[in-house]
Coordinates of all heavy atoms in Angstrom, one line a residue:
A283 N 0.3 20.4 1.8 CA -0.8 19.5 2.3 C -2.2 20.1 2.2 O -3.1 19.4 1.8 CB -0.5 19.2 3.8
Y284 N -2.2 21.4 2.4 CA -3.5 22.1 2.3 C -3.6 22.9 1.0 O -4.6 23.7 0.8 CB -3.7 23.0 3.5 CG -3.8 22.3 4.8 CD1 -2.8 22.4 5.7 CD2 -4.9 21.4 5.1 CE1 -2.8 21.6 6.9 CE2 -4.9 20.7 6.3 CZ -3.9 20.8 7.2 OH -3.9 20.1 8.3
G285 N -2.7 22.8 0.1 CA -2.6 23.6 -1.1 C -3.5 23.0 -2.3 O -4.1 22.0 -2.1
P286 N -3.5 23.7 -3.4 CA -4.4 23.3 -4.5 C -4.1 22.0 -5.2 O -4.9 21.4 -5.8 CB -4.1 24.5 -5.5 CG -2.8 25.1 -5.2 CD -2.6 24.9 -3.7
H287 N -2.9 21.5 -5.0 CA -2.5 20.2 -5.6 C -3.0 19.0 -4.8 O -3.0 17.9 -5.3 CB -1.0 20.1 -5.9 CG -0.5 21.1 -6.9 ND1 -0.7 20.9 -8.2 CD2 0.1 22.3 -6.7 CE1 -0.2 22.0 -8.9 NE2 0.3 22.8 -8.0
S288 N -3.2 19.3 -3.5 CA -3.5 18.1 -2.6 C -4.9 17.6 -2.7 O -5.9 18.4 -2.8 CB -3.3 18.6 -1.1 OG -3.7 17.6 -0.2
I289 N -5.0 16.3 -2.8 CA -6.4 15.6 -2.9 C -6.5 14.7 -1.7 O -7.2 13.7 -1.7 CB -6.6 14.9 -4.2 CG1 -5.5 13.9 -4.6 CG2 -6.8 16.0 -5.3 CD1 -5.9 13.0 -5.8
A290 N -5.8 15.0 -0.6 CA -5.7 14.0 0.5 C -7.0 13.8 1.2 O -7.3 12.7 1.7 CB -4.6 14.5 1.5
F291 N -7.9 14.9 1.3 CA -9.1 14.7 2.0 C -10.2 13.9 1.1 O -11.0 13.2 1.6 CB -9.7 16.0 2.5 CG -8.9 16.5 3.7 CD1 -7.9 17.5 3.5 CD2 -9.0 16.0 4.9 CE1 -7.1 17.9 4.5 CE2 -8.3 16.4 6.0 CZ -7.3 17.4 5.8
E292 N -10.1 14.1 -0.2 CA -10.9 13.3 -1.1 C -10.5 11.8 -0.9 O -11.3 10.9 -0.9 CB -10.8 13.7 -2.6 CG -11.5 15.0 -2.9 CD -10.6 16.2 -2.6 OE1 -9.6 16.1 -2.0 OE2 -11.1 17.3 -3.0
Q293 N -9.2 11.6 -0.9 CA -8.6 10.3 -0.7 C -9.1 9.7 0.6 O -9.6 8.5 0.6 CB -7.1 10.5 -0.7 CG -6.3 9.3 -0.7 CD -4.8 9.7 -0.5 OE1 -4.4 10.9 -0.6 NE2 -3.9 8.7 -0.3
A294 N -9.1 10.5 1.7 CA -9.6 10.0 3.0 C -11.1 9.6 2.9 O -11.5 8.5 3.3 CB -9.4 11.0 4.1
E295 N -11.9 10.4 2.3 CA -13.3 10.1 2.1 C -13.5 8.8 1.4 O -14.4 8.0 1.8 CB -14.0 11.3 1.4 CG -15.5 11.0 1.3 CD -16.2 11.7 0.2 OE1 -16.0 12.9 -0.1 OE2 -17.1 11.0 -0.5
N296 N -12.7 8.6 0.4 CA -12.9 7.4 -0.5 C -12.7 6.1 0.3 O -13.1 5.1 -0.2 CB -12.1 7.5 -1.7 CG -12.7 8.5 -2.7 OD1 -13.9 8.8 -2.7 ND2 -11.9 9.1 -3.6
R297 N -12.1 6.2 1.4 CA -11.9 5.0 2.2 C -13.2 4.3 2.5 O -13.3 3.1 2.6 CB -11.1 5.3 3.5 CG -9.7 5.7 3.4 CD -8.8 4.6 2.8 NE -8.9 3.4 3.6 CZ -8.2 3.2 4.7 NH1 -7.2 4.0 5.0 NH2 -8.3 2.0 5.3
L298 N -14.2 5.1 2.7 CA -15.6 4.6 3.0 C -16.1 3.8 1.8 O -16.6 2.7 2.0 CB -16.5 5.8 3.3 CG -18.0 5.4 3.5 CD1 -18.1 4.5 4.8 CD2 -18.9 6.6 3.7

Side-chain angles (χ1 to χ4, degrees):
Y284 297 110
H287 295 281
S288 172
I289 55 169
F291 288 98
E292 284 85 353
Q293 188 185 350
E295 180 203 316
N296 284 338
R297 294 294 306 272
L298 175 65

